[in-house]
Amino acid sequence: MEIINCLESSAFRKNTTHLIRHNVLRSVRTSAKPVYRTRNVFSANSVRSDFNIFSFIQNLRGQIGVAGKRIKIASRFAWLVPVFVLCAASPFFVSKFISFSESFAKNINLNPVSMEEFQALDNAMSEFAFDRSSYFDSEGNIFSEDGIKLETNSVLLKQPVVFQNYTVKPGDTISGISSRFGLSNISTLIAINNIGNVRSIYAGQKLSVPSVDGLVHLVLKNETLDSISKKYSVSVSDLLDINDLSSENLQEEQKIFIPGARLDSNSLRKAMGELFANPLKIRYRLTSRFGSRADPFTGVASHHTGIDMACPTGTPIYASMSGKIAYTGFSSVFGNYVIINHYDGYQTLYAHMSKIIAKKGDVVSQGTRIGLVGNTGYSTGPHLHFTVYKNSKLVDPLTVLK
């Protein structure tokens, strides 16, 4: 009985365990999701079915429309572009074209200045003098190369004057022609030939050359030989001899040669073109004269080689007299400078320019613009330093300016 009960109990346990396992497996199968294995398959038919030409065009039109709207919005502000460009460029144009004031006591940093630079510019000025074989003074008297003043042969003053014709050759000068014919003063050729400006003489021109120095006087109404004698400080007998006159009776508008007479200083300077024009055409302030002065930086006594003409930067500078540009350049002393050769050994220097306009070798007339006033080099403010040389010697510019 006990055995049966034990078997029954063991069978019961087996059945119970079997039922529990069955129910657990069933519940697991029912709760788990099914898993499928698939393969990725690319189908051309599916692609063709997705692409539509009409939808593509419609999409493209939409994109074009959006871009057009953006361009339209941007065009509303297009006017700002030139405004920005103008604002960016305005400082350049303002500094380039609008004059601005500067202090005449402006401090500047200077490099050490050597005497060699002064000497170099002096040599540059003297190197370009004309016709060193002979020259003349302010009264027209001709001097030889050795500095000896030429004299007229006194014997010729007692003989009738004789005139010769001479054809001007290339390279001829007034002093050269005069000395070749034994004349001692250039005013003789100028007066006899009515030369208003010696620079107008050209190769091939015919000149009348007298055998002795003097001028031709045109007799006025009621004028006598005695009055003419007193006017020119020449004896009546000399006037009779040199003009080969048999009597003292004169006719109105008769030409009388006056031996030894010469042009006055102003007439001579005018004919020689030596009435220098002012290199500035606006009002300026004369801040320093020619001669001794205190150095503007060191206060040490020094010799000022020209005159200083203070005016705003950018003021045009003009050639004081006709000539040829000999030098243009820069020096720590004179800054930007120009040197011009003029007739018969005259030269002019224009210094401290802000800009040089003329070029070396240019032939300029009186009044030609050669540069602009500046403050370059050894300078305390914007001004023109103007120097005049005559045969390599300094001349006070105020004595030759008009």
Side-chain angles (χ1 to χ4, degrees):
M1 209 45 196
E2 291 178 357
I3 295 171
I4 294 172
N5 290 332
C6 290
L7 291 171
E8 289 178 353
S9 59
S10 61
F12 175 78
R13 286 194 296 270
K14 289 181 179 179
N15 291 333
T16 303
T17 301
H18 177 76
L19 289 173
I20 291 171
R21 290 176 178 174
H22 176 74
N23 291 332
V24 170
L25 291 173
R26 186 176 181 182
S27 62
V28 169
R29 291 189 184 102
T30 57
S31 62
K33 294 182 179 179
V35 179
Y36 300 96
R37 290 185 178 181
T38 59
R39 292 184 299 172
N40 293 327
V41 178
F42 179 79
S43 174
N45 291 331
S46 62
V47 173
R48 292 192 188 97
S49 62
D50 292 338
F51 179 77
N52 190 311
I53 186 64
F54 297 105
S55 62
F56 172 76
I57 294 175
Q58 187 175 5
N59 185 34
L60 183 62
R61 290 177 61 185
Q63 292 179 1
I64 294 174
V66 171
K69 290 180 180 179
R70 291 177 180 175
I71 293 173
K72 186 175 181 181
I73 294 173
S75 65
R76 296 177 183 176
F77 301 96
W79 60 273
L80 291 174
V81 175
V83 174
F84 286 130
V85 172
L86 183 61
C87 290
S90 59
F92 170 77
F93 290 106
V94 169
S95 63
K96 190 73 175 176
F97 297 106
I98 298 180
S99 177
F100 57 94
S101 62
E102 294 184 57
S103 171
F104 287 103
K106 178 181 178 182
N107 293 324
I108 58 175
N109 296 323
L110 297 173
N111 295 324
V113 179
S114 64
M115 290 303 297
E116 285 77 8
E117 290 202 62
F118 285 104
Q119 187 63 41
L121 279 168
D122 284 342
N123 291 339
M125 297 295 287
S126 61
E127 187 177 329
F128 286 88
F130 295 164
D131 192 13
R132 294 299 184 89
S133 60
S134 63
Y135 62 94
F136 50 89
D137 60 17
S138 59
E139 295 181 352
N141 296 310
I142 302 173
F143 291 79
S144 68
E145 185 178 8
D146 299 328
I148 300 174
K149 180 181 175 181
L150 302 184
E151 299 290 344
T152 301
N153 189 342
S154 59
V155 176
L156 298 176
L157 297 176
K158 302 294 183 179
Q159 299 176 0
V161 63
V162 178
F163 290 88
Q164 301 180 59
N165 290 326
Y166 176 76
T167 302
V168 178
K169 298 178 175 60
D172 275 342
T173 63
I174 286 291
S175 58
I177 297 172
S178 298
S179 59
R180 191 178 308 161
F181 284 88
L183 303 177
S184 62
N185 195 289
I186 62 171
S187 64
T188 297
L189 285 183
I190 293 173
I192 295 298
N193 294 277
N194 295 317
I195 299 173
N197 189 326
V198 294
R199 289 188 299 278
S200 65
I201 297 176
Y202 56 90
Q205 182 177 352
K206 302 288 185 180
L207 296 180
S208 180
V209 183
S211 56
V212 65
D213 281 298
L215 306 177
V216 172
H217 175 82
L218 194 64
V219 177
L220 302 177
K221 186 178 181 179
N222 299 324
E223 198 170 26
T224 64
L225 200 61
D226 184 63
S227 63
I228 296 173
S229 171
K230 292 178 180 178
K231 180 178 180 179
Y232 291 100
S233 300
V234 179
S235 66
V236 173
S237 60
D238 285 346
L239 290 177
L240 290 171
D241 291 340
I242 204 162
N243 289 280
D244 198 19
L245 298 175
S246 58
S247 70
E248 297 184 11
N249 296 326
L250 301 175
Q251 301 293 326
E252 186 178 351
E253 295 187 357
Q254 182 179 348
K255 291 182 179 181
I256 299 295
F257 186 83
I258 313 296
R262 63 186 61 181
L263 293 173
D264 63 84
S265 180
N266 286 335
S267 298
L268 179 60
R269 289 172 62 189
K270 183 177 180 180
M272 296 301 296
E274 293 180 3
L275 293 177
F276 286 76
N278 199 307
L280 300 177
K281 294 185 179 180
I282 67 167
R283 295 185 63 181
Y284 61 90
R285 186 160 54 95
L286 186 64
T287 56
S288 186
R289 293 178 177 270
F290 175 86
S292 298
R293 69 163 186 176
D295 186 279
F297 288 98
T298 64
V300 177
S302 61
H303 182 78
H304 193 222
T305 60
I307 59 173
D308 289 342
M309 310 162 80
C311 56
T313 295
T315 301
I317 301 171
Y318 302 91
S320 186
M321 191 166 66
S322 301
K324 185 176 182 179
I325 305 297
Y327 275 107
T328 65
F330 179 86
S331 163
S332 60
V333 179
F334 292 118
N336 294 319
Y337 69 92
V338 171
I339 297 175
I340 303 180
N341 280 345
H342 305 290
Y343 182 82
D344 203 59
Y346 270 110
Q347 292 171 294
T348 51
L349 166 70
Y350 310 78
H352 306 303
M353 294 181 175
S354 61
K355 181 180 180 181
I356 298 174
I357 297 176
K359 296 180 181 179
K360 182 178 179 180
D362 286 351
V363 176
V364 296
S365 300
Q366 188 178 68
T368 299
R369 192 170 69 157
I370 59 173
L372 304 177
V373 170
N375 186 32
T376 57
Y378 197 77
S379 170
T380 58
H383 72 284
L384 168 65
H385 173 89
F386 180 62
T387 297
V388 178
Y389 277 73
K390 169 69 173 177
N391 293 322
S392 305
K393 295 181 180 180
L394 287 168
V395 176
D396 184 353
L398 295 180
T399 64
V400 296
L401 286 175
K402 289 181 180 179

